[in-house]
Amino acid sequence: MIRARYSQWFLAIAITLTLAATQRLCAQGQNLEQLRTQAAAEAYAGRHAHAEKLWREVLSTRPQDLDAQIWLARLAGWQKRYDESVEAYKKILREHPEATEAMLGLAAVYLWESKYNDSLEVLEEAEALAPEDMDIQLLMARNFLQQWKKKEAEEHLRRVLAARKRDQEALALQNQLDALTLYQVSFGYSFESFSFAPDAHWGSLEFSRNQPQDLLVGNLDVLNKFDEQVVRAGGTLLHRFEHRRNLRVTALFAPRGDVLANQDYDLAYGQNLGERFAVNTGYRYLNFRTANLHVFHPALEFYPHKRVEMAATYFLTKSRFPGPPNDALTHSYYLRALVQVNAKLFTSAGFARGIENFSALSRDRLGRFLANTYSFGARYEGTPRNGFSFSFARQIRSTGLTQTGFGFGFF
């Protein structure tokens, strides 16, 4: 009888402990799910650092949680810690070689770093595992678009839109594809009014060919200034290297006339410093009939917002004259801000102090005067393939002379 009673007590205690443990586990599970939901919400709200902290809490409770591991790799990429993100994704794929979501994340990071081949290699592996996954097809389309491979991008995007006709990201990508063109032709006209000379008229024609690694621009200008008509021609080649570096070479020639330099050469190198800064440095040589100019022009660019660009350029100019006046060394600077108002409208404003400014050097700027130059411009892209621009500038020189310019262009 006593044994039976003890057995009942032990059974009751065991049931009570089991129920308590089960309740604790259920409570922990509910808390964990709430933590996961909050972590994802914080990430999508842009509070990446806090989201990362929450996902680490999840991972400390469940070290094998695949979603938490992927989210931490993803957040590292979103915060521009690309090397850390890549290593995290690779670790996940070593343990879970068929995790296509991790493959997508790794391919996206490679794409942000402009490593197109590495990104495409990962995407092809993911496509072999999940040929019906439209997110893979969409990222492949974006990869080819950024390489300016229009035909390949359209092929993958067509699959996405066939499966998801109202996918907003796919439709936006389609608009970018529609606007993609290798060639652009621009026509321009500028008018300049002086307080010390007749008005000047400037017509320009520009042809450009743009590819992911190279931009080639050809220029033809016809200028009527200081009662002299000058024809100038030349071009610019910009080559983009990996790791966000670029090299630009410009050569312009005006065989006849004294207004513009007969020869104008410019060599510049640029390097991005992270996501918000870039540095540029260059050397420019101009050969006038009345003087030679050597110009050193370092610049710093700042991107405080994805739609805002600011730049400061310093000019150290050595002017060499064959006779009086004597050689001169001048210092100038130019400040510029570019703001993208919306998807179609771009505006810019600038201030220059010295003999250098926003436009080409001509013989009236070879003296030692200083000037303040204020400029404003706008560019409106009415459709994916055409638009127009205009510019205005006012220069006030230390000698009291003034120059006002207005330009209009169509592309």
Side-chain angles (χ1 to χ4, degrees):
M1 189 119 174
I2 294 175
R3 289 181 180 178
R5 189 178 299 170
Y6 277 123
S7 297
Q8 291 175 355
W9 288 349
F10 282 129
L11 181 60
I13 292 171
I15 292 173
T16 301
L17 292 174
T18 302
L19 289 173
T22 302
Q23 289 175 350
R24 281 198 303 272
L25 288 174
C26 289
Q28 288 176 359
Q30 290 175 355
N31 291 336
L32 189 60
E33 287 306 313
Q34 290 176 356
L35 187 61
R36 291 164 61 89
T37 302
Q38 183 185 0
E42 290 291 288
Y44 286 126
R47 294 183 283 272
H48 298 153
H50 188 219
E52 190 171 1
K53 180 181 177 182
L54 296 178
W55 279 115
R56 291 194 186 281
E57 290 184 27
V58 173
L59 200 62
S60 66
T61 305
R62 284 188 187 171
Q64 303 304 319
D65 191 311
L66 180 59
D67 285 342
Q69 294 176 34
I70 291 175
W71 263 111
L72 287 171
R74 182 182 295 136
L75 285 165
W78 286 1
Q79 295 176 83
K80 311 296 191 276
R81 305 198 310 266
Y82 296 135
D83 291 342
E84 178 185 336
S85 180
V86 167
E87 288 305 313
Y89 278 126
K90 286 183 176 181
K91 182 177 183 296
I92 293 169
L93 290 171
R94 282 194 295 268
E95 299 173 359
H96 306 276
E98 295 186 357
T100 55
E101 189 173 356
M103 291 182 180
L104 271 170
L106 178 58
V109 175
Y110 280 144
L111 193 58
W112 297 336
E113 293 184 292
S114 301
K115 296 179 179 178
Y116 304 114
N117 293 334
D118 292 338
S119 176
L120 192 58
E121 183 178 343
V122 176
L123 287 171
E124 288 173 346
E125 292 179 14
E127 184 184 30
L129 292 170
E132 302 303 320
D133 190 329
M134 292 301 109
D135 289 334
I136 296 173
Q137 298 297 322
L138 188 61
L139 194 56
M140 292 182 85
R142 188 173 297 282
N143 184 303
F144 285 118
L145 172 64
Q146 292 191 18
Q147 296 186 72
W148 290 59
K149 295 181 178 179
K150 190 171 185 178
K151 183 178 178 181
E152 292 88 342
E154 287 175 337
E155 179 183 345
H156 291 281
L157 191 59
R158 195 179 302 115
R159 300 178 194 173
V160 179
L161 291 173
R164 305 190 312 213
K165 296 182 180 179
R166 297 185 179 181
D167 188 299
Q168 294 302 309
E169 187 177 353
L171 291 172
L173 200 61
Q174 182 67 65
N175 290 334
Q176 294 180 45
L177 270 174
D178 293 340
L180 183 64
T181 178
L182 292 175
Y183 303 98
Q184 178 174 295
V185 179
S186 303
F187 307 89
Y189 168 76
S190 299
F191 169 82
E192 293 180 327
S193 177
F194 303 90
S195 63
F196 56 93
D199 295 339
H201 304 270
W202 192 320
S204 63
L205 171 65
E206 181 182 287
F207 173 83
S208 63
R209 183 178 188 272
N210 199 351
Q211 290 185 306
Q213 283 76 37
D214 297 291
L215 170 65
L216 179 62
V217 180
N219 299 88
L220 177 64
D221 301 317
V222 179
L223 171 67
N224 192 322
K225 186 174 183 179
F226 302 151
D227 295 323
E228 182 177 271
Q229 183 167 311
V230 180
V231 177
R232 182 177 70 171
T236 297
L237 174 63
L238 172 69
H239 180 72
R240 307 176 182 97
F241 300 94
E242 291 185 357
H243 307 297
R244 302 180 183 183
R245 297 174 294 127
N246 63 78
L247 181 68
R248 176 175 55 83
V249 180
T250 299
L252 299 169
F253 304 93
R256 299 178 181 177
D258 299 323
V259 176
L260 296 180
N262 306 124
Q263 301 171 55
D264 187 345
Y265 305 104
D266 197 357
L267 178 66
Y269 171 79
Q271 170 74 63
N272 281 34
L273 303 176
E275 295 296 317
R276 293 189 178 274
F277 290 93
V279 292
N280 297 276
T281 186
Y283 165 74
R284 184 179 179 189
Y285 170 75
L286 300 99
N287 177 29
F288 288 85
R289 296 185 189 279
T290 55
N292 295 325
L293 271 69
H294 303 270
V295 185
F296 175 62
H297 51 87
L300 175 65
E301 297 178 3
F302 174 50
Y303 310 95
H305 187 269
K306 64 180 180 180
R307 292 192 172 187
V308 179
E309 174 186 331
M310 305 177 73
T313 306
Y314 167 73
F315 299 90
L316 175 63
T317 304
K318 175 69 172 180
S319 304
R320 307 206 65 180
F321 300 92
N326 297 325
D327 295 352
L329 186 68
T330 55
H331 308 272
S332 314
Y333 62 86
Y334 174 39
L335 306 177
R336 176 180 60 85
L338 174 66
V339 178
Q340 182 180 353
V341 180
N342 53 44
K344 295 186 175 183
L345 179 61
F346 302 78
T347 61
S348 63
F351 170 74
R353 172 68 173 173
I355 67 167
E356 315 287 349
N357 69 3
F358 56 93
S359 66
L361 281 170
S362 64
R363 72 181 184 202
D364 63 309
R365 298 198 185 103
L366 298 184
R368 298 184 180 182
F369 71 86
L370 292 176
N372 291 335
T373 303
Y374 307 88
S375 59
F376 175 79
R379 174 184 173 98
Y380 182 76
E381 299 181 356
T383 72
R385 291 189 176 273
N386 59 73
F388 63 88
S389 62
F390 77 90
S391 61
F392 172 82
R394 173 75 170 173
Q395 184 180 88
I396 304 172
R397 303 183 180 183
S398 58
T399 55
L401 303 178
T402 62
Q403 174 183 340
T404 303
F406 175 81
F408 179 84
F410 172 79
F411 67 89

